Amino acid sequence: MDRPTVHDLAKYARVSLATVDRVLNGRPGVREQTIERVQKAIDELGYSRDANAALLARKKPHRFVFLLPEARTQFLQSLIAAINETATTHSSLRADIEVVQAPMRTPEEAAQTMRTLDADALDGLAIMAPETPSIRDAVIKLRNNGTKVVPIVTDLPNAGCEHFVGVNNIAAGRTAALLLGGFASGTAGSVAVIGGHSMSRDFVERRLGFDEVMQQRFPKLQTLPTIEGFDDAYRVEALARRMLMERSDLVGIYSAAAGTSGLISAMRDHGKTRPVIVAHDSTAATRQGLTDDFLDAVIVQDVGHIARSAVRVLRALKDGLPITAAQERIRIEIFTRENLPDP
């Protein structure tokens, strides 16, 4: 017998081609007895799915949505630019890609946006959002309907997603501590940490890793409670100015979220020897901050790699293809004034 096809499966199991497709792709809406009939046909006919051939045969591209916060931070703008570039220049990814920005002042706002998505027309969702019960439940509902969901930048480990696209944020925090403590060169004093939102898992993990290394390696440095900047550069600037006035013992600042441009503005007017500063993300502000010697180091994740990886992972999950772990691992990079690459 020639290699069996989906037509052979449908005929043997006495079901439609659409039902066979649903079973092969793990989509909902098929009765358990029907799934068993199709599975029996697969076993007895020796059917082996060629996922790559199925991908090439599919004429309609997948529809993927990137759901991002509505905030207009420089990091988000660079991420959106990378997603749009991926959508227009990487035709081999075979996907229609759309960016949706949603207000996320409260978790319910993000969850509400997710509920408005047409799940039946949506093959995959890449989401950057805080891990809260309402967002977790909305993700689970989409996944139960057959939509593949991939968290990016900040993980959602309790939502059951198969893959996370982003750096290891605990390792990023540990790296920041090692850099800051090393630049401080044994000086005693306090270290401020400026975060975004306390419910953002990426910041929580960075702070956890940062604290571990500071306590283990740099006991002379006292890490202060988190200052929440809410990813708002103006708020960060105001908080930084007040902190610089009140803390004469300040040795270092870890800017662990967006809003670093506000911190740099405060530093420009400081007029005194500045503390050691380690920040995140390659943006126009952080690059200029390095160039002008207001920052010591910036921890970077490649937004282009994140955008391409998210699409590749969503496509692989949807088409039953393997994920190449080494290719999709987002690595931590460190920029200093001395090794700053060209824009």
Side-chain angles (χ1 to χ4, degrees):
M1 179 180 178
D2 293 334
R3 182 174 179 171
T5 67
V6 289
H7 294 273
D8 297 320
L9 292 181
K11 183 177 180 180
Y12 192 95
R14 302 186 307 281
V15 298
S16 67
L17 284 172
T19 298
V20 170
D21 180 74
R22 280 184 174 273
V23 174
L24 290 176
N25 289 286
R27 298 192 184 98
V30 183
R31 291 183 300 175
E32 189 63 35
Q33 298 142 320
T34 304
I35 294 174
E36 291 175 0
R37 289 215 314 270
V38 174
Q39 189 59 54
K40 181 180 179 182
I42 291 171
D43 294 339
E44 295 191 1
L45 295 180
Y47 175 80
S48 176
R49 186 182 185 199
D50 187 339
N52 283 306
L55 175 62
L56 293 172
R58 177 172 39 81
K59 297 179 180 178
K60 184 179 179 181
H62 287 316
R63 178 174 178 254
F64 297 146
V65 167
F66 281 77
L67 180 60
L68 308 175
E70 198 173 49
R72 295 183 60 82
T73 66
Q74 290 188 16
F75 173 75
L76 275 174
Q77 295 308 304
S78 62
L79 177 58
I80 291 170
I83 295 168
N84 289 334
E85 180 183 8
T86 298
T88 57
T89 63
H90 292 77
S91 59
S92 61
L93 294 175
R94 294 181 59 80
D96 290 334
I97 300 169
E98 178 186 1
V99 175
V100 174
Q101 287 190 271
M104 295 189 187
R105 292 179 295 271
T106 67
E108 181 55 33
E109 287 181 318
Q112 178 59 34
T113 299
M114 294 173 66
R115 287 193 287 268
T116 64
L117 297 173
D118 183 359
D120 292 333
L122 182 64
D123 295 299
L125 176 71
I127 179 172
M128 177 182 171
E131 186 182 44
T132 65
S134 58
I135 291 174
R136 178 203 61 209
D137 293 346
V139 167
I140 291 173
K141 184 175 181 180
L142 281 172
R143 293 183 64 248
N144 288 340
N145 198 60
T147 299
K148 301 301 181 181
V149 181
V150 170
I152 61 172
V153 181
T154 180
D155 201 1
L156 301 172
N158 296 310
C161 301
E162 293 95 332
H163 195 90
F164 165 60
V165 176
V167 297
N168 180 326
N169 281 300
I170 292 178
R174 293 180 64 87
T175 302
L178 190 63
L179 290 167
L180 192 150
F183 282 123
S185 302
T187 306
S190 61
V191 174
V193 178
I194 302 176
H197 298 261
S198 59
M199 63 182 179
S200 295
R201 190 176 187 91
D202 55 340
F203 167 68
V204 171
E205 291 181 342
R206 290 173 185 177
R207 176 79 206 230
L208 176 63
F210 185 81
D211 286 349
E212 287 176 348
V213 172
M214 293 301 291
Q215 292 166 8
Q216 294 167 2
R217 301 283 297 271
F218 307 106
K220 292 183 179 180
L221 297 176
Q222 176 194 5
T223 306
L224 302 173
T226 297
I227 299 171
E228 283 190 301
F230 299 131
D231 297 332
D232 184 328
Y234 295 107
R235 175 180 170 84
V236 169
E237 180 177 355
L239 292 170
R241 290 182 185 278
R242 182 168 55 183
M243 175 181 61
L244 290 168
M245 290 177 59
E246 296 175 351
R247 302 291 314 202
S248 59
D249 65 335
L250 195 64
V251 173
I253 300 175
Y254 176 31
S255 182
T260 302
S261 61
L263 174 59
I264 294 170
S265 295
M267 286 295 117
R268 290 185 186 279
D269 298 334
H270 184 43
K272 301 177 183 178
T273 302
R274 68 166 177 82
V276 173
I277 302 178
V278 176
H280 276 265
D281 302 322
S282 177
T283 66
T286 58
R287 294 172 70 90
Q288 194 63 51
L290 286 171
T291 300
D292 295 342
D293 201 28
F294 288 109
L295 301 178
D296 293 282
V298 175
I299 298 170
V300 176
Q301 50 188 327
D302 186 334
V303 291
H305 191 179
I306 290 173
R308 294 188 298 274
S309 179
V311 176
R312 284 195 299 262
V313 168
L314 285 172
R315 191 192 68 179
L317 292 173
K318 196 63 183 176
D319 293 319
L321 296 169
I323 296 172
T324 306
Q327 181 184 28
E328 311 309 347
R329 184 177 300 113
I330 310 300
R331 291 171 174 79
I332 296 171
E333 298 180 78
I334 301 170
F335 288 176
T336 66
R337 185 180 182 185
E338 286 69 27
N339 75 342
L340 189 63
D342 295 331

